[in-house]
Amino acid sequence: EEVRGLRGNLDKSTAEIAALQAEKASAIEELEGEKASAVESLEKMLREAQEYSSHMEQEHTDGQGLTSELVDQGKKLEERVVALLDELEVEKAARGTDAEEFAALRRGVRETAESHVAKG
């Protein structure tokens, strides 16, 4: 009878061990699934971060190119403005000379006219 009791307890313990092992296997399987999902999620986030980083590097490169182009255009514009200002100075000087010559010619004509009137 005692042997039967021990055998019953042994069977019961064996069944409990089998249930615990099945539960453990199920928990391990569930954890592995969660781990795979987490790894997949992290890999996706890493790819997105790498794409964003690559995009930002390209934006930076494009920005540097645009800045360089704008600086070059600014320098060309500055050179053109300086050239136009030089041309304007030359024009002003020429006009000033023309005005002075015209005034002298006018004085000369007036003096000649007055001289003729005085003689006449």
Side-chain angles (χ1 to χ4, degrees), residues 90-101:
V90 168
E91 242 182 76
K92 278 184 177 180
R95 283 188 192 152
T97 302
D98 289 347
E100 290 172 14
E101 288 175 2

Side-chain angles (χ1 to χ4, degrees), residues 74-105:
K75 286 179 182 177
K76 288 176 184 174
L77 182 59
E78 181 181 7
E79 290 169 4
R80 181 71 181 134
V81 167
V82 168
L84 288 172
L85 288 173
D86 288 346
E87 287 176 26
L88 185 59
E89 265 318 299
V90 168
E91 242 182 76
K92 278 184 177 180
R95 283 188 192 152
T97 302
D98 289 347
E100 290 172 14
E101 288 175 2
F102 180 73
L105 182 60

Side-chain angles (χ1 to χ4, degrees), residues 10-68:
L10 181 62
D11 290 343
K12 185 177 176 184
S13 293
T14 303
E16 286 176 358
I17 289 172
L20 288 173
Q21 286 176 337
E23 201 175 299
K24 177 184 172 186
S26 176
I28 288 172
E29 188 177 311
E30 185 178 325
L31 287 174
E32 286 176 352
E34 288 176 9
K35 176 184 171 186
S37 177
V39 166
E40 184 179 316
S41 178
L42 288 172
E43 287 173 344
K44 180 182 177 189
M45 290 168 60
L46 178 60
R47 279 191 307 275
E48 289 173 354
Q50 288 171 336
E51 288 172 9
Y52 180 75
S53 175
S54 176
H55 173 73
M56 292 308 294
E57 286 174 11
Q58 185 61 46
E59 288 288 320
H60 180 69
T61 300
D62 292 349
Q64 285 181 323
L66 183 57
T67 299
S68 178

Side-chain angles (χ1 to χ4, degrees), residues 99-116:
E100 290 172 14
E101 288 175 2
F102 180 73
L105 182 60
R106 196 172 180 188
R107 280 191 306 273
V109 169
R110 189 175 287 153
E111 289 171 2
T112 304
E114 289 173 357
S115 159
H116 285 296

